[in-house]
Protein backbone atom coordinates (compact mmCIF):
# COMPACT_ATOMS: atom_id res chain seq x y z
CA UNK A 1 0.00 0.00 0.00
CA UNK A 2 1.21 3.47 -0.75
CA UNK A 3 1.79 5.84 2.16
CA UNK A 4 0.37 9.36 1.77
CA UNK A 5 3.60 10.87 3.10
CA UNK A 6 5.50 9.42 0.13
CA UNK A 7 4.30 12.23 -2.09
CA UNK A 8 5.41 14.96 0.28
CA UNK A 9 8.58 16.85 -0.65
CA UNK A 10 11.52 15.52 1.33
CA UNK A 11 10.10 11.98 1.63
CA UNK A 12 11.50 9.68 -1.03
CA UNK A 13 9.01 7.25 -2.57
CA UNK A 14 9.21 3.74 -1.11
CA UNK A 15 8.44 1.62 -4.13
CA UNK A 16 8.56 2.04 -7.88
CA UNK A 17 4.77 2.31 -7.89
CA UNK A 18 4.95 5.12 -5.34
CA UNK A 19 7.50 6.78 -7.64
CA UNK A 20 5.07 6.50 -10.53
CA UNK A 21 2.24 7.89 -8.38
CA UNK A 22 4.44 10.84 -7.44
CA UNK A 23 5.36 11.29 -11.11
CA UNK A 24 1.67 11.41 -12.09
CA UNK A 25 0.98 14.06 -9.45
CA UNK A 26 3.83 16.11 -10.90
CA UNK A 27 2.50 15.52 -14.45
CA UNK A 28 -0.85 17.01 -13.48
CA UNK A 29 0.87 20.02 -11.90
CA UNK A 30 3.20 20.53 -14.87
CA UNK A 31 0.36 20.32 -17.39
CA UNK A 32 -1.56 22.98 -15.52
CA UNK A 33 1.59 25.17 -15.43
CA UNK A 34 1.83 24.91 -19.27
CA UNK A 35 5.59 25.29 -18.94
CA UNK A 36 7.29 23.17 -21.65
CA UNK A 37 10.53 23.01 -19.65
CA UNK A 38 8.65 21.69 -16.61
CA UNK A 39 6.92 19.06 -18.77
CA UNK A 40 10.23 17.93 -20.26
CA UNK A 41 11.85 17.87 -16.82
CA UNK A 42 9.19 15.41 -15.59
CA UNK A 43 10.80 12.49 -17.38
CA UNK A 44 14.28 13.32 -16.15
CA UNK A 45 12.94 13.53 -12.60
CA UNK A 46 11.10 10.24 -13.09
CA UNK A 47 14.46 8.52 -13.59
CA UNK A 48 15.68 9.95 -10.27
CA UNK A 49 12.47 9.00 -8.46
CA UNK A 50 12.73 5.43 -9.71
CA UNK A 51 16.39 5.21 -8.93
CA UNK A 52 15.71 6.38 -5.34
CA UNK A 53 12.87 3.90 -5.00
CA UNK A 54 14.40 0.72 -6.41
CA UNK A 55 18.15 1.27 -6.30
CA UNK A 56 19.86 -1.52 -8.23
CA UNK A 57 16.80 -3.80 -8.14
CA UNK A 58 15.73 -3.16 -11.72
CA UNK A 59 13.17 -5.98 -11.63
CA UNK A 60 10.98 -3.61 -9.63
CA UNK A 61 10.87 -0.98 -12.37
CA UNK A 62 7.36 -0.93 -13.80
CA UNK A 63 6.56 -0.28 -17.45
CA UNK A 64 7.05 3.43 -17.86
CA UNK A 65 4.79 4.05 -20.81
CA UNK A 66 1.28 5.36 -20.36
CA UNK A 67 -0.80 3.18 -18.04
CA UNK A 68 -3.20 2.58 -20.91
CA UNK A 69 -0.52 1.16 -23.22
CA UNK A 70 1.46 -0.87 -20.67
CA UNK A 71 -0.71 -4.02 -20.80
CA UNK A 72 -0.62 -3.98 -24.59
CA UNK A 73 3.16 -3.70 -24.61
CA UNK A 74 3.46 -6.53 -22.07
CA UNK A 75 1.13 -8.73 -24.10
CA UNK A 76 2.84 -8.21 -27.40
CA UNK A 77 6.22 -9.05 -25.90
CA UNK A 78 5.20 -12.37 -24.42
CA UNK A 79 6.52 -14.62 -27.20
CA UNK A 80 9.28 -12.40 -28.55
CA UNK A 81 12.97 -13.23 -28.42
CA UNK A 82 15.98 -11.43 -29.78
CA UNK A 83 16.39 -7.99 -31.24
CA UNK A 84 13.83 -5.23 -30.83
CA UNK A 85 13.64 -1.86 -32.59
CA UNK A 86 12.03 1.20 -30.97
CA UNK A 87 11.60 3.66 -33.85
CA UNK A 88 11.24 7.20 -32.48
CA UNK A 89 12.11 6.24 -28.91
CA UNK A 90 11.99 9.78 -27.47
CA UNK A 91 13.72 9.88 -24.08
CA UNK A 92 13.77 6.09 -24.06
CA UNK A 93 11.22 5.29 -21.33
CA UNK A 94 9.49 2.47 -23.22
CA UNK A 95 12.75 0.98 -24.53
CA UNK A 96 14.20 0.97 -21.01
CA UNK A 97 11.06 -0.57 -19.54
CA UNK A 98 11.17 -3.33 -22.16
CA UNK A 99 14.88 -3.91 -21.54
CA UNK A 100 14.37 -3.99 -17.76
CA UNK A 101 11.58 -6.51 -17.94
CA UNK A 102 13.16 -8.68 -20.64
CA UNK A 103 16.89 -9.11 -20.06
CA UNK A 104 16.89 -11.76 -22.82
CA UNK A 105 16.06 -9.08 -25.41
CA UNK A 106 18.26 -6.38 -26.85
CA UNK A 107 16.50 -3.10 -27.69
CA UNK A 108 17.80 -0.53 -30.18
CA UNK A 109 16.20 2.91 -29.77
CA UNK A 110 16.38 5.31 -32.72
CA UNK A 111 15.40 8.94 -32.27
CA UNK A 112 15.66 12.01 -34.47
CA UNK A 113 16.16 14.56 -31.65
CA UNK A 114 19.75 14.64 -30.39
CA UNK A 115 18.62 16.09 -27.04
CA UNK A 116 16.27 13.14 -26.48
CA UNK A 117 19.03 10.65 -27.29
CA UNK A 118 21.26 12.41 -24.76
CA UNK A 119 18.55 12.24 -22.08
CA UNK A 120 17.88 8.55 -22.86
CA UNK A 121 21.57 7.71 -22.54
CA UNK A 122 21.83 9.60 -19.24
CA UNK A 123 18.78 7.84 -17.81
CA UNK A 124 19.72 4.39 -19.02
CA UNK A 125 21.01 1.83 -16.56
CA UNK A 126 20.39 -1.29 -18.62
CA UNK A 127 23.08 -3.08 -20.65
CA UNK A 128 20.58 -4.53 -23.15
CA UNK A 129 19.36 -1.23 -24.60
CA UNK A 130 21.18 1.26 -26.81
CA UNK A 131 20.12 4.64 -28.16
CA UNK A 132 21.23 6.36 -31.31
CA UNK A 133 20.33 9.41 -33.32
CA UNK A 134 18.58 8.63 -36.59
CA UNK A 135 15.43 8.79 -38.64
CA UNK A 136 12.72 6.16 -38.46
CA UNK A 137 12.59 6.50 -42.26
CA UNK A 138 16.19 5.22 -42.50
CA UNK A 139 16.38 2.35 -39.99
CA UNK A 140 16.86 -0.22 -42.78
CA UNK A 141 20.04 1.65 -43.75
CA UNK A 142 21.22 1.92 -40.15
CA UNK A 143 20.71 -1.75 -39.28
CA UNK A 144 20.29 -3.62 -42.59
CA UNK A 145 17.39 -5.72 -43.86
CA UNK A 146 15.84 -8.51 -41.83
CA UNK A 147 17.59 -7.57 -38.57
CA UNK A 148 14.83 -7.27 -35.97
CA UNK A 149 12.46 -9.81 -34.45
CA UNK A 150 10.08 -7.08 -33.30
CA UNK A 151 9.78 -3.40 -34.22
CA UNK A 152 7.50 -0.91 -32.57
CA UNK A 153 6.90 2.80 -32.95
CA UNK A 154 4.74 4.47 -30.36
CA UNK A 155 3.32 7.97 -30.85
CA UNK A 156 5.62 8.69 -33.80
CA UNK A 157 3.77 8.16 -37.11
CA UNK A 158 1.63 11.23 -36.47
CA UNK A 159 4.87 13.27 -36.55
CA UNK A 160 6.83 11.89 -39.51
CA UNK A 161 7.09 13.53 -42.93
CA UNK A 162 6.21 10.38 -44.88
CA UNK A 163 4.29 7.54 -43.20
CA UNK A 164 4.70 5.09 -46.10
CA UNK A 165 8.49 5.61 -46.31
CA UNK A 166 8.75 5.16 -42.55
CA UNK A 167 6.74 1.95 -42.56
CA UNK A 168 8.69 0.63 -45.54
CA UNK A 169 11.99 1.23 -43.78
CA UNK A 170 10.85 -0.33 -40.50
CA UNK A 171 9.36 -3.43 -42.15
CA UNK A 172 12.51 -3.88 -44.27
CA UNK A 173 14.55 -3.86 -41.06
CA UNK A 174 12.28 -6.62 -39.66
CA UNK A 175 13.01 -10.26 -40.37
CA UNK A 176 10.30 -12.20 -42.24
CA UNK A 177 7.86 -13.39 -39.56
CA UNK A 178 8.81 -10.44 -37.32
CA UNK A 179 6.06 -8.24 -35.98
CA UNK A 180 5.59 -4.49 -36.36
CA UNK A 181 3.38 -2.64 -33.85
CA UNK A 182 2.56 1.01 -33.67
CA UNK A 183 0.44 3.33 -31.57
CA UNK A 184 -1.09 6.51 -32.98
CA UNK A 185 -3.55 8.95 -31.42
CA UNK A 186 -7.28 8.22 -31.59
CA UNK A 187 -8.63 11.75 -31.54
CA UNK A 188 -12.12 12.48 -32.73
CA UNK A 189 -13.79 15.56 -31.29
CA UNK A 190 -17.12 17.35 -31.47
CA UNK A 191 -17.15 21.16 -31.32
CA UNK A 192 -20.15 22.41 -29.36
CA UNK A 193 -19.60 26.18 -29.57
CA UNK A 194 -17.18 28.92 -30.59
CA UNK A 195 -13.52 27.98 -30.19
CA UNK A 196 -11.49 30.41 -28.07
CA UNK A 197 -7.88 31.38 -28.75
CA UNK A 198 -6.06 28.29 -27.57
CA UNK A 199 -2.49 27.03 -27.26
CA UNK A 200 -2.26 23.25 -26.96
CA UNK A 201 -0.37 22.40 -23.79
CA UNK A 202 1.01 19.04 -24.78
CA UNK A 203 2.47 18.89 -28.21
CA UNK A 204 -0.69 17.96 -30.11
CA UNK A 205 0.05 20.94 -32.33
CA UNK A 206 3.05 19.12 -33.83
CA UNK A 207 0.94 16.23 -35.19
CA UNK A 208 1.12 16.30 -38.98
CA UNK A 209 -1.92 14.09 -39.50
CA UNK A 210 -4.81 12.27 -37.83
CA UNK A 211 -5.65 8.57 -38.13
CA UNK A 212 -9.15 7.11 -38.30
CA UNK A 213 -10.21 3.54 -37.65
CA UNK A 214 -11.56 3.25 -41.20
CA UNK A 215 -8.29 4.39 -42.76
CA UNK A 216 -6.24 2.09 -40.56
CA UNK A 217 -8.38 -0.91 -41.57
CA UNK A 218 -8.18 0.11 -45.24
CA UNK A 219 -4.38 0.49 -45.19
CA UNK A 220 -3.32 -2.32 -42.84
CA UNK A 221 -6.35 -4.64 -42.56
CA UNK A 222 -5.02 -7.12 -45.13
CA UNK A 223 -1.58 -7.43 -43.48
CA UNK A 224 -0.73 -10.83 -41.99
CA UNK A 225 -2.04 -11.36 -38.42
CA UNK A 226 -3.44 -7.82 -38.44
CA UNK A 227 -4.74 -6.57 -35.12
CA UNK A 228 -6.26 -3.21 -34.18
CA UNK A 229 -7.05 -2.34 -30.56
CA UNK A 230 -8.64 0.90 -29.40
CA UNK A 231 -7.06 2.00 -26.12
CA UNK A 232 -9.21 4.53 -24.26
CA UNK A 233 -7.36 7.56 -22.90
CA UNK A 234 -8.05 9.70 -19.85
CA UNK A 235 -9.93 12.91 -20.77
CA UNK A 236 -8.61 15.61 -18.49
CA UNK A 237 -10.95 18.57 -18.02
CA UNK A 238 -9.08 21.78 -18.85
CA UNK A 239 -6.76 20.16 -21.36
CA UNK A 240 -8.91 21.30 -24.28
CA UNK A 241 -11.30 24.27 -24.55
CA UNK A 242 -14.70 23.62 -22.96
CA UNK A 243 -16.35 23.74 -26.38
CA UNK A 244 -14.43 20.63 -27.50
CA UNK A 245 -15.94 17.26 -26.55
CA UNK A 246 -14.40 13.84 -27.15
CA UNK A 247 -16.15 11.37 -29.46
CA UNK A 248 -13.22 8.97 -29.30
CA UNK A 249 -10.13 9.81 -27.28
CA UNK A 250 -7.10 7.63 -26.69
CA UNK A 251 -4.84 5.59 -28.95
CA UNK A 252 -5.05 3.08 -31.75
CA UNK A 253 -2.75 0.10 -31.37
CA UNK A 254 -1.99 -1.66 -34.67
CA UNK A 255 0.08 -4.80 -35.10
CA UNK A 256 0.90 -7.13 -38.00
CA UNK A 257 3.51 -9.62 -39.13
CA UNK A 258 6.01 -9.22 -41.95
CA UNK A 259 5.28 -12.11 -44.39
C1 LIG B 1 5.43 11.73 -28.79
S1 LIG B 1 7.11 11.28 -28.78
C2 LIG B 1 7.02 9.54 -28.44
C3 LIG B 1 8.28 9.00 -27.86
C4 LIG B 1 8.28 7.51 -27.49
N1 LIG B 1 8.04 6.69 -28.66
C5 LIG B 1 7.27 7.21 -26.41
O1 LIG B 1 6.30 6.47 -26.68
O2 LIG B 1 7.46 7.68 -25.30
C6 LIG B 1 7.52 11.30 -30.51
C7 LIG B 1 9.00 11.12 -30.74
O3 LIG B 1 9.24 10.80 -32.11
C8 LIG B 1 10.41 11.48 -32.51
N2 LIG B 1 10.37 11.57 -33.97
C9 LIG B 1 9.57 12.34 -34.73
N3 LIG B 1 9.80 12.13 -36.04
C10 LIG B 1 10.79 11.18 -36.10
C11 LIG B 1 11.48 10.53 -37.17
N4 LIG B 1 11.18 10.82 -38.44
N5 LIG B 1 12.43 9.63 -36.88
C12 LIG B 1 12.73 9.35 -35.57
N6 LIG B 1 12.13 9.93 -34.52
C13 LIG B 1 11.16 10.83 -34.78
C14 LIG B 1 10.30 12.82 -31.78
O4 LIG B 1 11.55 13.48 -31.70
C15 LIG B 1 9.79 12.37 -30.42
O5 LIG B 1 10.83 12.07 -29.54
Amino acid sequence: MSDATNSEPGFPPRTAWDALAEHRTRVDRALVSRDPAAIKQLYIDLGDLLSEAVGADIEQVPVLSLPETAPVVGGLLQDVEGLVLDAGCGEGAVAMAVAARHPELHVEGVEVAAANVEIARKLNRFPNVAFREGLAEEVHQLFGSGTFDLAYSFAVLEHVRDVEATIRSITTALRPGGRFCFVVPMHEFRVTGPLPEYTPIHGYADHCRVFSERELYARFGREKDFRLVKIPGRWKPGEFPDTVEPIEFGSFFVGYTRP
Side-chain angles (χ1 to χ4, degrees), residues 112-160:
V112 71
N116 286 348
V117 175
E118 201 185 322
I119 292 169
R121 286 181 175 153
K122 276 190 187 150
L123 290 172
N124 185 31
R125 297 167 187 83
F126 307 106
N128 57 330
V129 58
F131 297 103
R132 71 170 79 188
E133 213 178 311
L135 283 166
E137 292 89 325
E138 294 177 359
V139 287
H140 67 296
Q141 288 165 5
L142 282 175
F143 298 101
S145 302
T147 302
F148 292 98
D149 299 283
L150 168 76
Y152 65 86
S153 191
F154 292 163
V156 176
L157 294 180
E158 66 274 24
H159 299 281
V160 300

Side-chain angles (χ1 to χ4, degrees), residues 26-257:
R26 293 183 187 188
V27 167
D28 288 342
R29 274 203 300 267
L31 289 179
V32 170
S33 81
R34 293 171 179 252
D35 173 5
I39 294 169
K40 196 95 181 169
Q41 185 65 31
L42 286 169
Y43 293 93
I44 300 169
D45 292 347
L46 175 59
D48 292 339
L49 285 170
L50 282 167
S51 168
E52 260 170 33
V54 308
D57 187 3
I58 57 170
E59 282 301 308
Q60 280 192 47
V61 176
V63 169
L64 300 183
S65 75
L66 293 173
E68 295 88 348
T69 55
V72 180
V73 177
L76 78 91
L77 280 169
Q78 246 159 24
D79 303 320
V80 172
E81 290 178 349
L83 265 181
V84 177
L85 171 68
D86 183 333
C89 62
E91 297 92 342
V94 177
M96 284 184 262
V98 170
R101 291 210 162 185
H102 297 270
E104 74 284 7
L105 300 178
H106 178 88
V107 187
E108 287 286 340
V110 175
E111 163 59 43
V112 71
N116 286 348
V117 175
E118 201 185 322
I119 292 169
R121 286 181 175 153
K122 276 190 187 150
L123 290 172
N124 185 31
R125 297 167 187 83
F126 307 106
N128 57 330
V129 58
F131 297 103
R132 71 170 79 188
E133 213 178 311
L135 283 166
E137 292 89 325
E138 294 177 359
V139 287
H140 67 296
Q141 288 165 5
L142 282 175
F143 298 101
S145 302
T147 302
F148 292 98
D149 299 283
L150 168 76
Y152 65 86
S153 191
F154 292 163
V156 176
L157 294 180
E158 66 274 24
H159 299 281
V160 300
R161 184 175 48 81
D162 184 337
V163 174
E164 284 305 320
T166 307
I167 287 173
R168 213 163 35 243
S169 178
I170 293 173
T171 44
T172 303
L174 260 187
R175 68 165 169 78
R179 203 154 166 77
F180 175 43
C181 307
F182 64 85
V183 169
V184 289
M186 174 174 72
H187 286 179
E188 196 182 342
F189 304 134
R190 177 185 300 113
V191 175
T192 57
L195 284 174
E197 281 293 324
Y198 165 64
T199 309
I201 53 178
H202 212 294
Y204 293 144
D206 58 14
H207 293 182
C208 301
R209 62 187 63 79
V210 291
F211 293 86
S212 72
E213 188 175 359
R214 194 159 54 91
E215 286 161 349
L216 289 171
Y217 271 102
R219 168 61 185 82
F220 300 102
R222 282 185 294 279
E223 299 286 353
K224 188 164 181 255
D225 306 327
F226 168 78
R227 213 161 149 221
L228 184 147
V229 179
K230 295 204 272 183
I231 306 170
R234 190 155 61 103
W235 181 258
K236 294 187 198 136
E239 196 170 350
F240 292 93
D242 291 342
T243 45
V244 172
E245 270 181 8
I247 298 171
E248 287 203 294
F249 183 71
S251 308
F252 291 114
F253 170 90
V254 174
Y256 57 88
T257 302

